[in-house]
Amino acid sequence: MMGVNFPTRRCQHGFTLIELVIVIVLIGVIGGMVAVFMKSPIDAYFASARRAGLTDVADTVVRRMERDIRKALPNSIRNAGSQCVEFIPTKTGARYRADVGGGGDMLDFTLAAGDISFNMLGRNADLPADQQIATGDLVAIYNLGISGADAYAADNTSVVTAANAESGAPAESVISINAKQFPLESPNKRFLVIPAGEQVVRYVCVGASGTNAQGYGNGTLYRQVLTLPLAASSCPSSVTGAAIMANGVSSCNFDYSGSDLQRNALISMRLQLTDSGETVSLQHEVHVSNVP
């Protein structure tokens, strides 16, 4: 009788269910311990990044405001409340001809019907492109910010109708304007130019009163462009058609000292931004020259 060959039984290796459960538990314990040690550095990293972002936004905003304010027409800064500040920006300045020497056209302050042109000492074409006087700009002379000499009320401003012609020797630019009898002559024979596209700039905080439930500032800082003439008003409770400068504003304050015709003034700005409970406060002061 022939023998029957049975297949050789192979040994199988692997993990039992109990071993797998033990491994999973151990990995969970180790992962939990690692997470405890890693949580603080990760939270600190995100908090640091958040603070750096808030600081960068706040710093950019106040420096942009500083650049604008330094170009403000003397005695034009108005601080209707702690939540807003407005002013009339300028693009350039020059001296007008006050006598007929050299055959130039002098600016006459005695004409009842108003003068319609004058010579600028120098050439408009020699100014940088962004400072050249253009049609539609406004000429302002000796702004004091008081009744009778207030650019907001158009007391001492006139619209430029042309600025390309030249006359005299050496050549001087002829600035043509709408007929205007300016009330006061500048002691320094100086005029300033208000750009046609930005006659009034207002920075205003809306809703800057603390944070919401998520720890995010409720307010928004806007940069609003307005046109002249413009009556004095209180800070608006809402703004439309304005550029957003910063979100997440939890507090802001603008304080202007120098509205009593002092030659020098100071505007103090305090901006507070909050995101996820992180708050950055930045205070900045800008010196203002009110020499008209």
Side-chain angles (χ1 to χ4, degrees):
M1 183 175 180
M2 298 178 61
V4 179
N5 293 325
F6 293 97
T8 303
R9 187 174 182 180
R10 297 180 179 178
C11 294
Q12 297 181 354
H13 300 279
F15 297 103
T16 65
L17 180 61
I18 294 176
E19 290 173 327
L20 288 174
V21 170
I22 292 173
V23 170
I24 292 172
V25 171
L26 290 175
I27 291 175
V29 172
I30 294 172
M33 295 175 63
V34 171
V36 170
F37 287 104
M38 292 295 293
K39 183 177 184 303
S40 294
I42 292 175
D43 288 346
Y45 169 78
F46 283 110
S48 177
R50 191 161 45 244
R51 286 193 295 270
L54 292 173
T55 302
D56 183 61
V57 171
D59 182 67
T60 300
V61 169
V62 296
R63 292 189 182 278
R64 171 63 186 276
M65 292 183 65
E66 178 183 11
R67 289 197 301 270
D68 280 350
I69 291 170
R70 288 193 182 279
K71 297 188 295 182
L73 183 72
N75 301 304
S76 72
I77 297 178
R78 299 196 300 197
N79 189 202
S82 63
Q83 301 296 294
C84 68
V85 61
E86 64 186 14
F87 51 89
I88 299 174
T90 62
K91 64 188 292 187
T92 191
R95 297 182 186 276
Y96 57 82
R97 176 162 288 283
D99 55 52
V100 295
D105 181 12
M106 63 174 286
L107 180 58
D108 196 336
F109 288 81
T110 64
L111 295 175
D115 205 346
I116 59 172
S117 68
F118 62 89
N119 273 25
M120 161 186 156
L121 300 185
R123 299 177 66 244
N124 186 38
D126 292 338
L127 296 173
D130 61 338
Q131 297 179 22
Q132 291 182 7
I133 305 171
T135 300
D137 292 343
L138 280 73
V139 169
I141 297 179
Y142 206 56
N143 184 63
L144 297 179
I146 60 176
S147 179
D150 184 8
Y152 281 105
D155 294 335
N156 53 351
T157 63
S158 183
V159 178
V160 175
T161 57
N164 296 323
E166 294 182 355
S167 69
E172 298 175 349
S173 289
V174 178
I175 310 299
S176 299
I177 58 175
N178 288 339
K180 179 73 176 184
Q181 184 181 24
F182 292 96
L184 298 172
E185 185 173 357
S186 168
N188 296 318
K189 319 305 179 189
R190 183 166 173 252
F191 70 94
L192 293 171
V193 180
I194 303 167
E198 285 192 344
Q199 297 180 5
V200 178
V201 171
R202 174 190 289 163
Y203 283 94
V204 55
C205 288
V206 176
S209 57
T211 61
N212 58 21
Q214 290 73 40
Y216 192 76
N218 290 320
T220 303
L221 175 62
Y222 295 94
R223 183 182 188 272
Q224 188 178 23
V225 176
L226 305 168
T227 57
L228 294 171
L230 181 67
S233 61
S234 59
C235 293
S237 57
S238 62
V239 177
T240 58
I244 296 177
M245 301 301 295
N247 288 310
V249 180
S250 54
S251 176
C252 76
N253 183 278
F254 305 125
D255 180 44
Y256 175 62
S257 58
S259 58
D260 54 351
L261 297 184
Q262 297 181 25
R263 295 173 67 88
N264 297 297
L266 187 71
I267 182 166
S268 176
M269 303 174 290
R270 184 177 183 274
L271 186 63
Q272 188 175 82
L273 304 182
T274 303
D275 183 10
S276 301
E278 293 280 352
T279 298
V280 168
S281 298
L282 197 62
Q283 183 163 342
H284 194 68
E285 295 180 342
V286 182
H287 170 264
V288 179
S289 174
N290 277 332
V291 180

